[in-house]
Amino acid sequence: MLYYGRLFLITLSSAVIINFMLEPFVGLLTRVRVPRTLASFIVCALAVCAVYLAGLGVYRQGGRLVEDVPKYAHRIGDLSDRVLTKLESMEQTARALVVPTRVSQVAPQNPPGKRRSKAEPLTPVTPAPGVQEVRIRPERPPIVDFIHSHLGSLYETLLMASFVPFLVYFMLSWRDYIRPAFLQLFEGPDRIAAATSLDGIASMVRAFVAGNFLLGLLLAAASTAFFFVFRLPYPLLIGPLSGFLSLVPSVGLPLALVPPLLAALDVYSTPAPYLIIVGVVALLHLLAMNLLYPKIVGPRVHLNPLVVSVALMFWSALWGAAGLILAIPLTAGIKAVCDHVKSLERYGRLLGD
């Protein structure tokens, strides 16, 4: 069910997480006598506008970056040629040191026969009578083949993503009905356990998302300042991208290195600046993950490192990149349920830190 229904479950899980994030803002508006339906609409509209403005800023910066792609391609070609030249010279040096000098063999003579002169033009070949000429179709660019082969999955992804704003709005506006109706499914002490579990999941998700967002802002600000001082192009684009990509579990550091290294291709031609960029980005990533993350996010999640690693493997195997992002909040939500259900407390202790 988790594998074959992954598109539906990813959409529903994302909507639930966003609902938990926006619920405090809706509650704040309801305290000032704003009807819950109107408050939910205002909060959802502001959230969509924030996403739109962020996407617009990335689009404008990315449009300027696309215009410089030919220069980047030319610089990548130059760097690759230099690397290949270095490797070839090292290979020749090593071969001269290891392989003994041998007498060069005389190349075999060409078989007798008339050789065509270089100046002699080639005679065009004409098809025989009655033989239809075969036309070779030009090969499609790789990007066209990629879009054509993934068009169906892309359409399904966009279709399910379009449901997220509506799901979030109805979850927020109908909360006063959905929550009591959900708790009515349980009886006696189980109803209290269900209510406390739901509150524990909501608080955990809010703390997890807010902590990651705050950590991403700190990394984005530090990365942007460094790229600006280092005179990299588009620091307002590559700084936030590098900062927030650094938070992706397991593959955060390689992803965070991609934007600054690509931007540096238009500025630097020697390897020293690239090594400095790699060192600074790696240092920021290590400080954030080992010093700030346990202080800001760790106390709210309470998962031991082994469980985090297994959860990342499990959910990424089922849901791919989306599972890699949702693995920690989903596993922490399962632990919150185990902590509040007496028969499952031992599993909560197994998952905890």
Side-chain angles (χ1 to χ4, degrees), residues 235-268:
L236 296 179
L237 174 64
I238 63 175
L241 277 178
S242 179
F244 281 96
L245 287 175
S246 184
L247 298 178
V248 179
S250 299
V251 294
L253 181 56
L255 292 178
L257 289 172
V258 172
L261 291 179
L262 288 178
L265 291 173
D266 193 33
V267 182
Y268 301 105

Side-chain angles (χ1 to χ4, degrees), residues 44-64:
C44 290
L46 291 176
V48 171
C49 290
V51 173
Y52 171 77
L53 292 176
L56 183 62
V58 172
Y59 173 77
R60 288 184 175 179
Q61 293 286 326
R64 295 172 55 189

